[in-house]
């Protein structure tokens, strides 16, 4: 039988794209809030005997996590054969160290919580920095879908003579890959962050790139401070207006406006977090990863 994909609220479009690509059936799931703020989850279509996929992007995770865990328990309690999680954006991955005494190592806590409920996890470009792979944090099988081929395709189709610019060493993995696939040169800069919105970036002399269109690329746009610093520097050096490209449109309040003010000609992201900038659809690319995780789960059951 085909897998059954349920969308947590706000994930309907992504889940529908995934179900089409797999192919899988779409299951109806309802979440409603009681007056006291508690959530009631209902799986309208029965998950009994099915390989279930819960689709829930985890931007603003704290309000999403409890209904998601309850949905996973409900699917299992109602007889699902397996329960996997498609989280196009995986939260908490940036808190991968105790940066100050007493701080939580949130990446590990979050991974542990999800791993207790799900048989597998698939996501798009998690923020891996100090942890080099998801298997260092997740004990369950995981799959990472790279957005770089799709971002590179967008660059090739939309930008003439691009110059890819990554803000920091973490971005090198995405920027180098996009640049290689788009046949463009790239630079990786050095960033120092001293606060949530306080970012310093050393931008070198760019005069030899004056005939190139800068494409500032990163995995996440959150406050926008990182990309805005680069936009300002690029504009001051007289290069053409830059595009901002990112995988995950976290976009904290004011970020979009700040980037336009700083001179962005265009803001483009994938649909891992639905936003007005979500031009690049990663749902079809997620399908083979899910199919393979479900098959692995099936062969472990048979062994
Ligand atoms: C951090 O290392 C990430 O790769 C991004 O550079 C960062 O999250 C962007 O954050 P913001 O938009 O708040 O500067």
């Amino acid at each position: 039988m085909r897998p059954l994909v349920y969308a947590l609220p706000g994930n309907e479009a992504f889940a529908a794209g995934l179900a089409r690509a797999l192919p899988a059936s779409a299951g109806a799931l309802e979440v409603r809030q009681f007056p006291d703020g508690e959530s009631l989850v209902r799986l309208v279509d029965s998950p009994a005997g099915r390989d279930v996929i819960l689709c829930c992007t985890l931007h603003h995770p704290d309000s999403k996590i409890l209904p998601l865990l309850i949905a996973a328990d409900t699917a299992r309690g109602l007889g699902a054969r397996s329960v996997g999680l498609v989280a196009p954006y995986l939260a908490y991955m940036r808190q991968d160290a105790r940066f100050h005494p007493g701080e939580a190592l949130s990446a590990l806590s979050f991974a542990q919580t999800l791993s207790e409920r799900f048989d597998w996890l698939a996501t798009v470009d998690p923020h891996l920095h100090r942890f080099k792979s998801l298997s260092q944090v997740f004990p369950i099988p995981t799959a990472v879908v790279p957005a770089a081929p799709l971002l590179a395709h967008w660059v090739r189709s939309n930008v003439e003579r691009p110059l890819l610019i990554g803000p920091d060493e973490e971005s090198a993995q995405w920027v180098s890959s996009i640049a290689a696939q788009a046949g463009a040169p790239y630079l990786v800069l050095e960033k120092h962050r001293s606060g949530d919105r306080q970012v310093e970036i050393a931008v070198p002399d760019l005069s030899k790139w004056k005939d190139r269109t800068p494409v500032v690329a990163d995995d996440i746009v959150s406050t926008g401070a990182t990309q805005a610093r680069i936009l300002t520097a690029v504009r001051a050096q007289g290069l053409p207006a830059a595009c901002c490209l990112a995988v995950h449109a976290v976009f904290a309040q004011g970020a979009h406006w700040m980037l336009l003010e700083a001179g962005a000609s265009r803001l483009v992201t994938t649909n891992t977090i639905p936003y007005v900038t979500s031009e690049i659809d990663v749902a079809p690319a997620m399908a083979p990863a899910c199919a393979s995780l479900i098959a692995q789960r099936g062969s472990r059951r048979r062994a």
Side-chain angles (χ1 to χ4, degrees):
M1 217 183 308
R2 286 178 168 191
L4 184 59
V5 181
Y6 293 100
L8 274 287
N11 294 271
E12 292 79 5
F14 197 100
L18 178 62
R20 267 193 308 276
L22 262 165
S25 317
L29 176 153
E30 293 172 355
V31 181
R32 88 166 178 90
Q33 252 64 53
F34 288 111
D36 61 6
E38 294 179 5
S39 301
L40 176 65
V41 176
R42 178 170 173 240
L43 302 186
V44 180
D45 296 300
S46 170
R50 307 291 292 271
D51 289 306
V52 162
I53 300 173
L54 294 180
C55 185
C56 184
T57 200
L58 288 168
H59 151 252
H60 292 311
D62 294 9
S63 60
K64 292 177 180 162
I65 189 73
L66 201 51
L68 175 62
L69 298 179
I70 292 172
D73 283 348
T74 308
R76 222 178 274 287
L78 294 175
R81 195 157 69 142
S82 66
V83 185
L85 171 62
V86 166
Y89 173 67
L90 187 58
Y92 280 115
M93 293 302 292
R94 287 178 291 171
Q95 185 68 22
D96 59 357
R98 300 187 205 281
F99 298 101
H100 301 101
E103 276 186 359
L105 192 41
S106 314
L108 272 182
S109 306
F110 197 64
Q112 195 56 47
T113 303
L114 293 176
S115 301
E116 284 164 7
R117 291 307 207 293
F118 290 97
D119 295 312
W120 53 262
L121 162 82
T123 189
V124 178
D125 289 327
H127 186 87
L128 291 170
H129 181 204
R130 288 161 194 88
F131 294 117
K132 299 300 172 207
S133 78
L134 281 185
S135 61
Q136 286 181 265
V137 256
F138 281 86
I140 56 174
T142 55
V144 170
V145 174
L150 300 167
L151 298 180
H153 180 261
W154 184 89
V155 171
R156 274 198 313 270
S157 318
N158 291 278
V159 187
E160 273 183 31
R161 299 185 58 73
L163 166 67
L164 273 294
I165 304 179
D168 51 24
E169 59 162 310
E170 290 129 278
S171 68
Q173 52 190 303
W174 293 285
V175 172
S176 59
S177 172
I178 299 166
Q181 294 175 62
Y186 73 94
L187 304 170
V188 173
L189 309 182
E190 273 179 42
K191 174 168 95 177
H192 174 69
R193 186 185 284 279
S194 53
D196 290 344
R197 292 170 192 270
Q198 286 73 49
V199 173
E200 298 300 324
I201 298 185
V203 179
D205 176 13
L206 299 172
S207 46
K208 74 176 205 187
W209 303 112
K210 282 219 159 123
D211 62 339
R212 292 262 169 186
T213 303
V215 179
V216 184
D218 206 355
D219 60 335
I220 295 170
V221 178
S222 180
T223 65
T226 298
Q227 294 213 3
R229 293 295 166 277
I230 301 176
L231 292 173
T232 307
V234 159
R235 186 156 69 167
Q237 292 200 34
L239 271 75
C243 309
C244 292
L245 191 60
V247 181
H248 306 294
V250 172
F251 280 91
Q253 202 179 11
H256 193 146
W257 176 243
M258 183 202 284
L259 291 170
L260 293 177
E261 276 274 278
S265 61
R266 202 159 165 187
L267 309 178
V268 175
T269 65
T270 76
N271 59 344
T272 59
I273 298 171
Y275 191 57
V276 290
T277 54
S278 298
E279 277 189 42
I280 301 170
D281 183 11
V282 292
M286 182 65 93
C290 295
S292 152
L293 285 160
I294 291 170
Q296 280 174 40
R297 170 90 189 150
S299 37
R300 268 200 311 280
R301 239 190 333 261
R302 282 189 294 278

